[in-house]
Amino acid sequence: MYLAIAGNIGSGKSALTALLAEAFGLKPVYEAVSENPYLEDFYRNMGAYAFHSQVFFLARRVRQHLLQVNGNPRVVQDRTVYEDAFVFAKNLYREGFLSRRDWETYMDLFQSVSPALRKPDLLIYLRASLPTLRARIRKRGRPFEQNLPDRYLLSLNALYEEFVASWDLCPVEVVEADRLDFVEREEDRLALLEALKRRIRP
């Protein structure tokens, strides 16, 4: 069983990864945000560091996938390589922060490695509105995230909706993160686990 957790910045992916790992006996695989040496520079100057940051995430995510996901019978992953390509890198290209040459090089890298990667058994998409994202970004307090433009987060939300609508590698479970606060409210946490229990094989 391989669960993939998808969602925008601040939607609750890491918290849900930890919750499902504990509840269903899964190995958690977390996004390498703190390891990205380009990330703070990227948030200060997206045009200058977009390609560097995205290639770092692609390389690290592929390594995670090959070493921790492919051979593990029970795993839950905080964001996938597919989102890196079809949400984050695509948004940077659409917004002009990635040139056509860099975008095509990035996608060539992605398409070269993706056949070697195990496909998820279930994609869980955390759908969250801008106010929810903003509140959660403030709460976790990463300095380089605090000044993200609303337009950037909204563009990512729109691309996530496109991404989920076209996703065909496995079933999708949509979690309305505006309604369900599985971090702060125990009743929401229990309700979510009960709803997912029928989708997650023992």
Side-chain angles (χ1 to χ4, degrees), residues 179-192:
R179 268 192 315 106
L180 284 173
D181 187 346
F182 51 84
V183 174
E184 299 292 340
R185 294 199 295 263
E186 184 178 5
E187 62 270 27
D188 287 355
R189 186 159 55 249
L190 294 175
L192 178 58

Side-chain angles (χ1 to χ4, degrees), residues 5-9 11 13 79 83 88 124-127 160:
I5 312 298
N8 205 341
I9 301 163
S11 60
K13 296 180 305 301
R79 186 171 284 143
E83 295 160 75
F88 286 86
I124 301 173
Y125 169 47
L126 291 170
R127 177 183 282 142
Y160 262 109

Side-chain angles (χ1 to χ4, degrees), residues 4-21 29-31 76-79 83 88 124-140 142 145 153 157 160 175-178 180-184 189 192 196:
I5 312 298
N8 205 341
I9 301 163
S11 60
K13 296 180 305 301
S14 298
L16 184 58
T17 297
L19 176 64
L20 297 183
V29 177
Y30 294 101
E31 187 177 21
V76 54
Q77 186 178 27
D78 171 2
R79 186 171 284 143
E83 295 160 75
F88 286 86
I124 301 173
Y125 169 47
L126 291 170
R127 177 183 282 142
S129 66
L130 182 62
T132 296
L133 298 175
R134 280 286 179 214
R136 293 179 181 174
I137 288 170
R138 279 195 301 272
K139 185 172 182 180
R140 72 182 177 192
R142 290 175 183 161
E145 291 179 345
L153 294 172
N157 263 0
Y160 262 109
V175 175
E176 299 295 346
D178 290 346
L180 284 173
D181 187 346
F182 51 84
V183 174
E184 299 292 340
R189 186 159 55 249
L192 178 58
L196 291 175

Side-chain angles (χ1 to χ4, degrees), residues 109-122:
L109 284 169
F110 168 77
Q111 289 162 358
S112 295
V113 299
S114 59
L117 305 179
R118 176 184 177 190
K119 307 300 186 288
D121 296 299
L122 178 67

